[in-house]
Amino acid sequence: MIELKTPTEIEAMRPAGRLVRDVLAALTEAADVGVNLLELDALAHRMIDAAGGTSCYIDYHPSFGASPFGKVLCTSVNDAVLHGLPHDYRLRDGDLLSVDFAVSVGGWVCDAAKSFVVGTPDPQDLRIIDTTERALAAGIAQARGGNKMGDISAAIAAVARGEGYSINTQFGGHGVGREMHGDPHVSNDGRAGRGIPLRPGLVIAIEPWFMAGTDEILTDPDGWTLRSVDGSRGAHSEHTVAITDGDPLILTA
């Protein structure tokens, strides 16, 4: 069921959005050659505790997960593109790291993700990161009252296809509120002018993610980490956005 938030409830989501923003900034600063993914997860955990927040991930066990996630952060490296389960891995020069983080503060959730290169960047990695960021911006620009969900999806897809990337539609954006994942689904591909109307009070996570050489994924033995089937690298960008009577409100900016 799609739930619309009041202006007061959207304001109450801002602390969660600020914490998500601050954690992603801290992780970007901390991630360096030789840093262990488990150290990044521990840093995020400390910041959650210090802010009085609650992890959305530790006990998360949807139908597609093999078991409760058990960590507070998703860390996807190189050809791992989504839901990367933090494990004993030290970052290497040139790794493409995608970090996805959601947290509840005061009973309200916000969710965001970003990708960046650790150490020496490969131009192709920078290109796909830039594409996800531009696709996210294009999707957010369409997140206005009176538009349709398909306007967001079509804008994202146009950026991806303009750079020659194909699009996986198994996973995409989603409603956000008291829970991390809710209705409606926000596909990264669609037709403009189609889908549900965007009404003020709707809060959604918009999250384009693309892979360099394929649109097909496989699941690691850990039951969570999703990888490209051809070993090509991927990137992921996400913000939590509220539809208002005016401009989109990016709660995790």
Side-chain angles (χ1 to χ4, degrees), residues 2 16 19 45 52 63 66 77 82 101 120 132 136-137 144 226 231 242 248:
I2 298 173
L19 180 56
H45 206 153
S63 59
V77 182
L82 287 179
F101 179 70
T120 309
T132 65
L136 176 59
R144 293 178 170 276
L226 300 178

Side-chain angles (χ1 to χ4, degrees), residues 35-111:
V35 172
N36 197 301
L37 297 180
L38 295 176
E39 295 177 69
L40 297 180
D41 186 74
L43 171 58
H45 206 153
R46 290 194 300 271
M47 292 184 71
I48 292 171
D49 290 345
T54 303
S55 171
C56 293
Y57 289 173
I58 285 183
D59 297 324
Y60 186 54
H61 190 188
S63 59
F64 58 81
S67 60
F69 191 74
K71 303 296 182 184
V72 303
L73 189 65
C74 290
T75 51
S76 303
V77 182
N78 297 331
D79 62 322
V81 291
L82 287 179
H83 305 163
L85 185 63
H87 59 285
D88 185 14
Y89 175 83
R90 293 194 177 277
L91 292 166
R92 301 169 184 171
D93 186 48
D95 277 347
L96 196 170
L97 175 62
S98 298
V99 181
D100 192 355
F101 179 70
V103 70
S104 175
V105 178
W108 293 102
V109 173
C110 280
D111 187 5

Side-chain angles (χ1 to χ4, degrees), residues 12 15 26 56 61 129 151 155 173 190 205 236 244 247 252:
C56 293
H61 190 188
I129 291 169
D151 295 320
H236 179 197
T244 74
D247 293 335
T252 47

